[in-house]
Amino acid sequence: MAFVKFILIAAVFSMVLSLSKEEDPDVITKPMAMEAKVHISKPSITASLNHQVLYQGEDVVLQCKVPEKLTDLEYAWDKDSVPIKSSQSTYNISGATVSDSGKYSCMAKRGTTTSEKSDPQVLTVKNPPQPKVILSVGWSRVFTGEKVTLICKVPNTPTSWKYTWLRNSLKISDDVDTSNTGNSLSILSAKQRHHGNYTCETELQDRPLSKALSTKFALSVQDPPQPKVILSVGWSRVFTGEKVTLICKVPDTPTSWKYTWLRNSLKISDDVDTSNTGNSLSILSAKQRHHGNYTCETELQDRPLSKALSTKFALSVQDPPQPKVILSVGWSRVFTGEKVTLICKVPDTPTSWKYTWLRNSLKISDDVDTSNTGNSLSILSAKQRHHGNYTCETELQDRPLSKALSTKFALSVQDPPQPKVILSVGWSRVFTGEKVTLICKVPDTPTSWKYTWLRNSLKISDDVDTSNTGNSLSILSAKQRHHGNYTCETELQDRPLSKALSTKFALSVQDPPQPKVILSVGWSRVFTGEKVTLICKVPDTPTSWKYTWLRNSLKISDDVDTSNTGNSLSILSAKQRHHGNYTCETELQDRPLSKALSTKFALSVQDPPQPKVILSVGWSRVFTGEKVTLICKVPDTPTSWKYTWLRNSLKISDDVDTSNTGNSLSILSAKQRHHGNYTCETELQDRPLSKALSTKFALSVQDPPQPKVILSVGWSRVFTGEKVTLICKVPDTPTSWKYTWLRNSLKISDDVDTSNTGNSLSILSAKQRHHGNYTCETELQDRPLSKALSTKFALSVQARPPASLTLETSWSDIMSVDTLTLKCEIKDGTLEWNYTWYKDGLFEQTILEETYSVKATEETFKSEYKCRGNRTVRPLYSSFSEGFKANNIVLKRKVLLAISGCVVCSIILLIIGCIVLRFTRKPEKQEMVKEDLFFSMTDSKTQTTSPLQEYLTEIGPPLDKEERDESTAILNEATPIIEDQIKEEGLPSKEAGGFTSFKVEKSPLKEKDGLQSLKERDESTALLNEAVPAVDDQINVEVSPPKETGGFTSFKADISPSPESNGLSSYNVET
């Protein structure tokens, strides 16, 4: 049963698989390894085309089919027998182009089996056909209202085209005037908006790529052209009897226009005077009835909507116009010399009139004063003969029927009238501030005169004080500048030749005479109780002046002390209230602007001025012997004051020390008795009420104050190096004292250690020379008599305890030991010191012991050591010790050893030389040469130095100053020892074997300068032993043998005691 089910399932599965292969022919199954060979029939091609022609851009699919239902087939395509790269059963063409047109074939293949080539499938690809717009009904140029029909024609047109109409590239929609049916577009009634370029767009239904646009069709839609009436013969303005021809002109006119003429909108019929032919209308003899507006109407035949009416042409027909003479330039009443121009005016005048001028009915000819041009007549300079009636006659050229005569124009010519200046308001002699009005009167005056006012022949301009209105000139407030001769000049406006000048009118303008207040009795500066009388004086005074008195601009009324009569004012007894500025005011009766105010008269009323004592020369606090001058100063002082001087309210009389001259009091040499309060009393001569006393002036007279020296910084007993500041104090001291410092009565000058500033003296670093008695001397600047000397201030300056540095290591151990021991001793008898050590000027260390050990190295030998003591009580430290260099000791030892070796070698050589000379020298030729020595000693009177000292001072290498001084001193002490030890003679002569002989002589020592004892000699010998090593390394003697000595030179050594060496000889070595 199970096996049956398996057979059924396999059969069903096989059936389903075979059905699926038939439904999907594209599925190619892989052949079995042992597939049997099959037969493939000739394939056929089917195309997915609904149309025979394919338009460019459309898609098409070609399919190659085999009759058998075979799987795993491959296909080969070709076009026009050219293979195409495609192995599928279908061939797709997307966006077909014209180049895709051709014959397509295919073949099927399976394995090695290939079918026959299919029959060709022809494919045609074209561009869509372009439509064309053509005119069916109407015209391409239509008038508004006419009908037009357009057809969109497509060549070889199917019936399924879809049409779209466009005007100026915009789609046209149907409206009242437009109808779109099929391929036709009808404009039922053309409008201006229908004007434009028309195109149609075609497209096959369901084939959007078949769309095509036609070329443009220009449709012109416009209103019928409006005709225009133009004048052919005659004028638009004609006179009766003249001929006129009008033309009706149509722009761009066809020859088929029909013309109709109208006058004032009525059709014109031909008559005797009128002829109408084609587009022209002729009026043979114009009449008044021909006057009016002419129009013509045009219409195309068979096109009733083309009718148009021209604009109006106005034809004027009238009698010739009468001209009129009018005044162009000038006036109908002119003055001689003026210019006049007359115009002959014709109403609505053409430009071709001919003019003839007449005066008093007689034709006018051109002359010097007359010019006739066109329609104008100019009289350049009017004369009396030009007076009369003027007319003009007009006529159009070549139109004799147009002549006409104007009416008369009366022209009057005469001389300008002379004006006159008269006084209207005021006086011919006025005061400043008053009003004056002048009138310029012209006889027979028109209203149009222009008036110009002049003062002293200069034109007057309006200002604040002057008003010029019409023929009047008003001076509202007269000033000095208004004084002068006035004239007026008249001139008609714009008529300069009508000018005329009046006669002169003299106007006098001056300030009201200024009164002056003068003093009649008394003084301008009075003291209370005195009398004063003032006078108000007016120059060139009328008798009618009125006087008013004022004090400080306020009117003065009569009272007990004041009397006002006429032009005088009297103050009987002056008071403080009468003080002020007095003026008087004058005024003429009935002329208020004649008022004048005098200048101020200053009347000073006051109590007698109190004088004041002031210092002229000197000071209010003076010292005895100085000079003082006092001045008694009176404010606003007259020259006639009398002065009286008082001291402590007692009158001062002149004496030897006092001089009283004018307002000054001089004390030539102040004394204690001149001390007190000074006052002065003043009084004007002949005016007893002017006496006054000054306030007190306190004059102090005393001896100059003695200064005192006080200690500001430091102590009165100081050690060297400490700072001290002294102050010079002056009791009750001004700020202008000058200070001078003295030490032991000698003036102290500033130096490195001393600073003198103001009243202080600072010693920055005390020295022994600063020890002494200090005083200060004070003096006020520019007041030599104020000098004073202080008491003495004793300042003690002591030296600091000295420090001594010595070498504790013995001489014999210097070259063998590893350390050197130095000792620092403070020689003041106390044991409270500790010690500070310095190496080459730099701090090394501070220790309590007085000894200090250093390593014996080459660097140590070259270094300089110093020491100083320190403690906590004054003096805080000692002085520095002298510098110590171990190298100096080593150097001395080396020099000593070198000299010792040289001396031994020299002695041996001398002995050998002497022996040789003794045995080789011939006795008969032996000569003694004096002064030719190796060492030659000179007499001590020559004061020569030893050779060693000269070498050290001139030839040797540079030494420290201290070392050179020390070596020189030791050498001076050692010289006498050498003198006593050297005395030999007997040397070979110059001829003896080439050696030079020498002689050593000892100079005797003076008794007073020589060594006194053997002990002193032993001490000198010890000093020499110390001196020789010090110069051992500095000796460098060069011996150059001269030609005549056989290779050696002579030496001479002089050893003699010098007086300044205390018995020691200096010596010198010469070569």
Side-chain angles (χ1 to χ4, degrees), residues 16 25 27 39 59 218 237 239 251 261 267 294 301 313 465 547 589 627 650 670 741 777 779 898:
V16 170
V27 176
H39 173 75
D59 299 333
R237 182 181 180 186
F239 300 116
W261 286 93
K267 185 176 179 181
Y294 285 75
Q301 292 178 1
F313 178 87
D465 300 318
Y547 300 90
Q589 292 179 358
K627 181 180 178 180
L650 298 175
W741 286 91
E777 188 178 67
E779 179 185 349

Side-chain angles (χ1 to χ4, degrees), residues 390-445:
Y390 286 76
T391 54
C392 69
E393 187 178 67
T394 58
E395 179 183 353
L396 283 174
Q397 292 178 1
D398 302 323
R399 295 177 69 179
L401 298 175
S402 62
K403 188 179 288 186
L405 184 67
S406 71
T407 55
K408 294 178 180 181
F409 178 85
L411 181 65
S412 170
V413 181
Q414 59 186 6
D415 294 327
Q418 185 181 25
K420 183 179 180 181
V421 178
I422 58 175
L423 185 66
S424 174
V425 176
W427 305 267
S428 59
R429 181 184 179 187
V430 295
F431 296 118
T432 53
E434 291 185 320
K435 182 178 179 180
V436 177
T437 301
L438 303 178
I439 297 293
C440 184
K441 189 172 182 180
V442 183
D444 191 19
T445 306

Side-chain angles (χ1 to χ4, degrees), residues 48-68:
S48 59
L49 290 174
N50 296 324
H51 318 282
Q52 292 179 352
V53 177
L54 187 67
Y55 292 121
Q56 187 166 321
E58 290 184 321
D59 299 333
V60 64
V61 178
L62 301 179
Q63 187 171 12
C64 183
K65 290 186 178 181
V66 178
E68 292 84 8

